[in-house]
Amino acid sequence: MAGPAGDGSSVRPTPEAAAPPPMAGLELVQQGAEARLYRGLFLGRPAVVKHRFPKRYRHPLLEERLSRKRTAQEARSLLRCRRAGISAPVVYFVDYVSNCIYLEDIVGSTTVRDYIISEQQSGKSSSSLTVLAEKIGDILARMHDEDLVHGDLTTSNMLLRPPADKLDLVLIDLGLSFISALPEDKGVDLYVLEKAFLSTHPNTEALFEVLLKKYTAATKKSAAVIKKLDEVRLRGRKRSMVG
């Protein structure tokens, strides 16, 4: 990158200078630890912009490398999902200067978290939640068959396209994703989801078992992954006992 005078020197803009480019109707909708989410229009289409903002506690060059690497990995992971037939937002554009990803806005969507809570509060039959758990298990099996590890699986990082009762599941927020064929990494992925699932949705142990049963049936690689999941669970219990 050229210096301020355009002379090709090694001087680079500081991370603080990186900001999301202007976009029609840009509106901040969510502030997270790693990124900010904006909504607006991109080439006339409803879009979400995910901006990895600079972290002042990191050295500027390290921050630049990490943000660019994670931005690139997230974009690649979303494309990998879509190629595998897994529903994920369309990537419209990636800006590596400001570390922004321009994504399809799933208008009118509901998080799986909110859907489960709503279904539990309504007191309706749990059949829809059983079908949803099976769908999640099937999608995660396909994702892991692609050697893609999500890295932050929660029911808040899964959306349902409208109408929600059709259970059209969309994976989002792959900012911590990475590629790995190791059963250990896939087992940890499931463990993270299990911990998040049961802490957010009490009394759903049976539902999570439905999810795991479908996962096991959907991939030939499940035996090694489930074995690692059991080992990770055991390590987690030991840590809890020791404190």
Side-chain angles (χ1 to χ4, degrees):
M1 182 179 291
D7 57 4
S9 67
S10 60
V11 177
R12 300 185 181 186
T14 61
E16 286 78 3
M23 191 172 80
L26 197 67
E27 177 188 3
L28 178 66
V29 293
Q30 188 175 332
Q31 165 80 58
E34 289 292 320
R36 297 186 183 103
L37 287 183
Y38 298 85
R39 272 202 172 99
L41 294 176
F42 180 75
L43 299 180
R45 292 175 290 188
V48 170
V49 181
K50 183 172 183 177
H51 174 224
R52 288 187 175 277
F53 56 86
K55 316 303 181 297
R56 296 179 183 275
Y57 55 82
R58 291 190 190 125
H59 187 279
L61 290 180
L62 174 61
E63 169 61 28
E64 182 182 354
R65 290 194 196 102
L66 281 176
S67 292
R68 184 168 298 183
K69 178 181 178 182
R70 288 176 178 172
T71 298
Q73 182 58 51
E74 181 164 12
R76 284 195 294 265
S77 294
L78 288 165
L79 293 173
R80 196 179 186 102
C81 280
R82 292 182 62 81
R83 282 198 300 267
I86 299 168
S87 189
V90 176
V91 178
Y92 292 147
F93 180 69
V94 183
D95 184 344
Y96 291 110
V97 176
S98 60
N99 291 311
C100 287
I101 304 179
Y102 292 71
L103 301 166
E104 171 193 10
D105 186 2
I106 315 297
V107 179
S109 62
T110 303
T111 65
V112 168
R113 175 187 181 276
D114 289 344
Y115 181 79
I116 292 175
I117 291 173
S118 175
E119 287 294 295
Q120 287 180 321
Q121 290 177 344
S122 70
K124 296 177 184 176
S125 167
S126 62
S127 59
S128 63
L129 293 183
T130 299
V131 174
L132 176 61
E134 290 176 340
K135 286 203 169 193
I136 295 172
D138 182 64
I139 285 174
L140 297 186
R142 279 192 278 157
M143 183 184 74
H144 284 172
D145 276 346
E146 292 294 314
D147 291 335
L148 178 60
V149 176
H150 187 284
D152 188 25
L153 281 173
T154 69
T155 52
S156 294
N157 287 340
M158 303 173 193
L159 300 180
L160 294 172
R161 293 183 188 272
D165 57 10
K166 286 190 177 292
L167 303 183
D168 185 0
L169 198 70
V170 183
L171 281 184
I172 63 168
D173 203 0
L174 282 87
L176 297 178
S177 63
F178 58 97
I179 303 302
S180 174
L182 296 177
E184 170 85 13
D185 290 330
K186 297 172 185 179
V188 169
D189 218 20
L190 294 178
Y191 180 71
V192 169
L193 176 59
E194 181 178 40
K195 295 291 285 185
F197 196 99
L198 298 182
S199 63
T200 306
H201 310 290
N203 305 314
T204 54
E205 290 82 359
L207 201 60
F208 194 80
E209 286 305 312
V210 170
L211 186 159
L212 286 183
K213 185 176 180 180
K214 183 62 176 180
Y215 176 94
T216 302
T219 172
K220 295 178 180 178
K221 304 175 184 178
S222 63
V225 176
I226 298 300
K227 180 182 178 183
K228 288 297 180 181
L229 170 61
D230 288 337
E231 292 176 6
V232 175
R233 283 167 166 167
L234 183 60
R235 293 202 298 265
R237 284 195 292 270
K238 285 182 177 178
R239 280 197 295 269
S240 298
M241 290 171 64
V242 172

